[in-house]
Each structure stands twice: as C-alpha cells, then as structure tokens.
Amino acid sequence: MDRGLTFTRDATFLNEVANHPDVRPHLGGDNETGSTQSQIDLGPFLAREGNFALVNQWGGFIFEHEGEGVFNFHTEFLPDGRGRRAFAAAIEAEREMFETHGAHVLKTYVPRENLAALGLVRIVGFTQTHQTAEATYWALTKAEWKARRSKRHA
C-alpha cells in the first residue's frame, strides 16, 4: 500500500533514490564535470534554510525556497513509483505546498529528454513559462491550483 507524503530534511533516502541507476541519468550532470555517473548528495541542499522534501516510499519532491512563497522543486521517483503513483504524489504535494507550506508559486524545469517528467507537469496542471534548447520551464500558481481544484470537485 502506498503511503502519503512526509516532510523531511534528511537526505539519506533521497540520496538512495537519486543515485539509483534508473534515476541518476535523468537528474543532469555534475556541476563540475557534467557527468551523470557521479554520486549525488542532497544533504547540503536540504540543509539550507527553507529547503525541504516531501517523500513517500517511492521518492518525492525536493523544494528550494526562493522567497515570498515561491518554491522551485525537483522530482525523483524510483521506477515502481512512476506513472499513477507519481501523479497521486504530485497532487498531494501541490495541496501540501499551497495549504501548509505557504506556497504561492511552484516552479520547475524539465530537461527535454525527460518525457516522464514532462508528462507529469502537464497532467497535474502546470503551465509552460519558457524554454531553452535544453529544458522547458513550468509554473503553477495557487490561484490556478484553486481554480482547477474547484472544477474537479464540482
């Protein structure tokens, strides 16, 4: 049975997910070498003030607080947590961020080759804001989320 999302600043589980052979290649290259073979350590990122993650047994969402209710996030799920499980987690994360953590805007970017992440941001209601040769950029405001949620519950 899938469990709901929990708040954490502990990188232990997320490092396991990020460095899984089916996940690591999709997370981009090392800042210094560009290699997707290097190990990721999310500990320093999660230790920064305002940053945290919402996780379940399959992976989760890592949030970077940019200020004034704006959060940039990254998504990482093990293969068994993708598809409908990632969709359900994304819907839960949106609610948690807007209702509990004071978010006004959620932002993310999707590398062009990551079709699963692209599908996820589209299906959960994000709007593309711009693009580069390497990625597309997406946002969801609290007002957009509330309007979509109202339609779903009508």
Side-chain angles (χ1 to χ4, degrees):
M1 177 174 197
D2 293 351
R3 65 173 169 83
L5 295 173
T6 57
F7 176 96
T8 189
R9 285 198 170 100
D10 181 348
T12 306
F13 171 67
L14 289 168
N15 285 340
E16 291 175 19
V17 175
N19 292 301
H20 186 280
D22 291 328
V23 177
R24 178 64 184 100
H26 302 288
L27 299 182
D30 179 276
N31 288 340
E32 293 178 23
T33 67
S35 171
T36 58
Q37 303 304 311
S38 60
Q39 293 288 298
I40 290 178
D41 179 5
L42 295 165
F45 180 85
L46 289 172
R48 286 189 220 142
E49 186 174 342
N51 293 356
F52 59 90
L54 296 174
V55 300
N56 63 18
Q57 72 265 39
W58 307 109
F61 306 94
I62 304 157
F63 294 93
E64 177 179 18
H65 187 225
E66 294 184 355
E68 303 295 322
V70 178
F71 290 85
N72 188 39
F73 73 94
H74 308 279
T75 304
E76 58 179 57
F77 282 91
L78 295 167
D80 287 344
R82 295 176 186 160
R84 67 175 182 79
R85 287 180 166 139
F87 170 75
I91 296 298
E92 183 181 352
E94 288 175 353
R95 182 194 54 73
E96 180 81 10
M97 290 303 296
F98 291 126
E99 291 183 353
T100 305
H101 296 289
H104 297 292
V105 179
L106 300 176
K107 300 185 325 183
T108 194
Y109 69 91
V110 178
R112 290 203 177 271
E113 69 278 358
N114 194 337
L115 299 179
L118 181 60
L120 183 61
V121 295
R122 285 180 172 160
I123 200 165
V124 297
F126 280 66
T127 301
Q128 185 176 331
T129 60
H130 63 286
Q131 61 186 343
T132 65
E134 296 81 29
T136 54
Y137 293 77
W138 300 82
L140 178 65
T141 68
K142 187 173 184 177
E144 291 167 333
W145 172 76
K146 279 184 170 182
R148 189 186 76 238
R149 190 170 184 215
S150 294
K151 287 179 187 176
R152 216 183 290 154
H153 295 294

